[in-house]
Amino acid sequence: MKVYNTLSRQKEEFIPLEEGKVKMYVCGPTVYNYIHIGNARPMIVFDTVRRYLEYKGFDVNFVSNFTDVDDKIIKKAIEEGSSAEEVAQRFIKECKKDMEGMNVRPATAHPLATQEIGGMIEMISKLIEKGYAYATEDGTVYYRTRKFAEYGKLSHKNIDDLQAGHRDIRVTGDLKEDALDFVLWKPKKEGEPYWESPWGDGRPGWHIECSVMSKKYLGDEIDIHAGGEDLIFPHHENEIAQSEAANGVPFSKYWMHNAFLNIDNKKMSKSAGNFFTVREVAAKYDLQVLRFFMLSAQYRSPLNFSADLMEAAKNGLERIVTAAENLRHLMKTAKEGAPTEGEAALLKEAAVYTQKFEDAMEDDFNTADAVSAVFELVKFINTNAASENTDAYFKELYGQMEALCNVLGIILEKEEEMLDEEIENLIAERKQARKEKNFARADEIRDALLEKGIQLKDTREGVQWKRI
Ligand code: AMP
Ligand code: ZN
């Protein structure tokens, strides 16, 4: 499997640090509003990378943070007269709803910056101890950028060019030793959240949180660190400087970055007004369509969001789901028995599309070509599945479709969610069955509900239920 590594600017063979295991960290959103469709791109892309790694048999430990303390969150809290914590908690909840709609699986861990302050203080102290950081008299701690000899290795920037760029924007009153130094800890300002530290009350800079959370949940060395391309500099460059100076080992083996999502061929920006939240898109489309649209391009190519392309994605997705529906329908009345000789030959032909799909994914997760392979399989199914085929043949084809769509995160059969009323009715029926000592029926109902994710609990006050 080949992965493009921003560090080497090349596609490299993927060899994890530990055989069969992948440790992966994806920088998550800053939660001060509903996520926009640009934020959705890394979520969908790296969820698909995770799914493909799992399809290949790797055990993936996938960590993604929420930045829940930051200037924008504080500003929003002041505007609405609430607290930063309240704003962050609300939008984490909303973000998780959007993720569910896009079929982005929850990470193994979703750490919050505000819950990891202790670890950040520890790492900053270590950096000071090793001479990589210093505190100034106003209670700010800076990273001593020039001390880290490899600074610039990810963004391929030359430190002297950076210096030249910085000279004119140096802020007066700044107590930095060097214009390139960046903040690890900043002193508190009136009305802002703060934590106690050896350098006085304050809060951490943004970059330190990812170094600390990655270390805590995955260890000093990880396999993949990912995010949007705007994070290469300075965020990821600074993360490398912090982690490698503190831990003394290479931070991440592979650095993956998705290209930007544009709108109508223009950079998405709030000020220009060409800006959509995932929630706005959800009002018009099933979020599966948004997911499918995102996968229509390789993740390192810029992608343009437009009404036409969303319509095309909707139609494409419909073609896939319809083919799967037809197979399910055919399966219901199909004759039993092993595939015939002719069918076996056809199945062999169909297997070529799985191979094509895998070849595309092995080449730096080229989902655009992988989607084409799925379309070819759909076309094959539409011409080679009819009522005279065997059940085993349909099952085989369906399993093949399902396996590929599962990697892409496309749901072929949506489970109808049970309404509260239906659940209550079944609980009443179970109660009646128990009264009539029909325990078999009562157990059957309990199991059926459990399968739909409803757990029953018999209490003195009666039966309680919850979704699990
Ligand atoms: P932020 O909340 O700004 O830190 O962004 C969260 C993630 O979304 C980061 O990985 C960003 O690089 C990514 N991101 C933000 N805007 C876009 C965009 N227009 N296209 C693709 N990725 C984006
Ligand atoms: Zn980060």
Side-chain angles (χ1 to χ4, degrees):
M1 186 182 351
K2 294 267 195 283
V3 176
Y4 182 89
N5 192 350
T6 307
L7 206 50
S8 65
R9 286 180 162 169
Q10 274 173 18
K11 282 185 195 168
E12 293 176 23
E13 188 59 33
F14 180 71
I15 306 164
L17 294 161
E18 198 180 327
E19 205 184 324
K21 293 200 170 150
V22 179
K23 289 181 267 193
M24 184 167 178
Y25 186 96
V26 181
C27 293
T30 305
V31 277
Y32 64 101
N33 208 334
Y34 291 100
I35 56 163
H36 59 62
I37 53 175
N39 300 138
R41 191 170 190 197
M43 286 180 181
I44 292 168
V45 159
F46 298 116
D47 176 64
T48 307
V49 168
R50 173 195 195 178
R51 286 166 180 268
Y52 186 67
L53 291 168
E54 287 181 352
Y55 170 88
K56 292 277 288 182
F58 289 107
D59 176 6
V60 186
N61 194 347
F62 186 99
V63 176
S64 191
N65 66 307
F66 285 113
T67 298
D68 64 342
V69 60
D70 148 281
D71 291 345
K72 292 192 219 97
I73 300 173
I74 295 168
K75 184 166 168 257
K76 177 95 171 189
I78 292 169
E79 272 167 22
E80 49 174 63
S82 65
S83 68
E85 192 185 351
E86 204 277 319
V87 169
Q89 284 300 331
R90 179 164 16 116
F91 289 112
I92 287 171
K93 227 191 221 161
E94 299 297 353
C95 176
K96 285 185 173 172
K97 268 191 220 160
D98 288 336
M99 284 168 69
E100 199 183 332
M102 298 186 294
N103 202 20
V104 169
R105 282 170 44 204
T108 322
H110 278 291
L112 306 181
T114 56
Q115 304 301 308
E116 310 288 346
I117 305 286
M120 297 190 216
I121 290 174
E122 218 173 283
M123 191 180 274
I124 296 170
S125 305
K126 180 75 155 277
L127 288 169
I128 293 177
E129 214 178 280
K130 288 188 158 188
Y132 284 98
Y134 57 94
T136 57
E137 58 195 45
D138 67 353
T140 311
V141 182
Y142 291 102
Y143 187 94
R144 192 171 272 131
T145 304
R146 276 185 180 277
K147 165 106 177 148
F148 185 69
E150 291 178 284
Y151 195 81
K153 68 175 172 180
L154 181 72
S155 52
H156 305 271
K157 286 182 194 291
N158 178 302
I159 201 149
D160 294 317
D161 294 345
L162 285 172
Q163 183 82 58
H166 265 275
R167 205 161 290 151
D168 21 3
I169 53 163
R170 179 143 186 202
V171 187
T172 42
D174 222 333
L175 299 170
K176 285 183 193 188
E177 288 174 0
D178 188 294
L180 283 179
D181 296 351
F182 60 89
V183 173
L184 297 173
W185 185 267
K186 48 184 146 192
K188 81 166 178 195
K189 280 198 206 136
E190 208 38 54
E192 291 189 353
Y194 66 88
W195 289 264
E196 285 174 11
S197 85
W199 319 287
D201 294 346
R203 61 185 167 99
W206 171 39
H207 313 299
I208 194 74
E209 72 178 74
C210 291
S211 284
V212 168
M213 295 188 227
S214 181
K215 179 182 170 82
K216 175 167 171 188
Y217 293 90
L218 297 169
D220 289 358
E221 289 183 85
I222 68 170
D223 295 294
I224 301 175
H225 195 117
E229 65 182 5
D230 58 322
L231 299 188
I232 299 174
F233 187 87
H235 186 52
H236 287 165
E237 197 71 72
N238 291 354
E239 280 190 41
I240 291 177
Q242 295 163 161
S243 294
E244 298 193 355
N247 303 329
V249 287
F251 182 17
S252 179
K253 229 180 143 179
Y254 304 91
W255 288 84
M256 295 178 71
H257 295 99
N258 64 272
F260 256 45
L261 179 77
N262 299 318
I263 292 190
D264 294 326
N265 289 313
K266 277 177 260 138
K267 201 176 157 78
M268 213 168 77
S269 97
K270 270 189 183 169
S271 50
N274 59 342
F275 179 91
F276 290 112
T277 62
V278 169
R279 212 45 76 82
E280 284 167 323
V281 173
K284 211 166 161 208
Y285 293 97
D286 183 331
L287 289 179
Q288 284 280 297
V289 176
L290 183 65
R291 179 171 186 119
F292 192 62
F293 158 77
M294 295 279 185
L295 298 178
S296 65
Q298 206 270 357
Y299 74 94
R300 283 188 297 116
S301 310
L303 177 59
N304 189 44
F305 182 87
S306 70
D308 286 354
L309 289 173
M310 279 297 279
E311 280 304 311
K314 185 174 174 227
N315 294 337
L317 185 62
E318 239 164 52
R319 245 194 300 156
I320 296 172
V321 173
T322 307
E325 249 169 38
N326 285 343
L327 275 182
R328 282 200 303 274
H329 181 71
L330 285 166
M331 247 185 267
K332 278 190 201 143
T333 50
K335 52 178 182 266
E336 289 193 10
T340 63
E341 230 170 81
E343 287 176 339
L346 284 170
L347 288 173
K348 225 172 170 184
E349 225 178 281
V352 170
Y353 304 119
T354 293
Q355 191 55 54
K356 274 194 177 177
F357 179 95
E358 288 180 11
D359 289 348
M361 293 301 279
E362 296 280 309
D363 181 18
D364 192 28
F365 309 97
N366 190 339
T367 53
D369 287 356
V371 165
S372 301
V374 172
F375 279 135
E376 285 186 68
L377 177 62
V378 163
K379 197 168 159 211
F380 178 91
I381 288 170
N382 290 344
T383 42
N384 292 293
S387 51
E388 64 271 15
N389 289 118
T390 63
D391 175 51
Y393 174 74
F394 292 137
K395 274 203 179 119
E396 192 71 34
L397 283 178
Y398 194 81
Q400 193 181 344
M401 273 273 275
E402 206 169 32
L404 304 190
C405 287
N406 190 35
V407 170
L408 299 177
I410 293 167
I411 300 168
L412 291 179
E413 187 178 18
K414 278 228 161 150
E415 271 202 24
E416 298 284 334
E417 190 167 331
M418 280 187 108
L419 301 173
D420 288 5
E421 196 188 323
E422 290 176 66
I423 299 167
E424 300 288 356
N425 287 344
L426 279 170
I427 291 174
E429 193 190 330
R430 177 170 169 268
K431 192 173 165 195
Q432 186 61 27
R434 281 166 63 129
K435 224 182 198 169
E436 292 162 6
K437 303 223 177 311
N438 183 356
F439 296 113
R441 175 66 189 145
D443 286 350
E444 198 178 278
I445 293 172
R446 171 189 283 269
D447 293 347
L449 283 169
L450 197 61
E451 209 160 282
K452 298 234 177 248
I454 315 290
Q455 194 175 50
L456 301 186
K457 197 170 152 204
D458 294 303
T459 69
R460 243 185 296 162
E461 288 76 36
V463 181
Q464 290 175 353
W465 63 271
K466 64 171 183 192
R467 293 186 197 273
I468 49 168

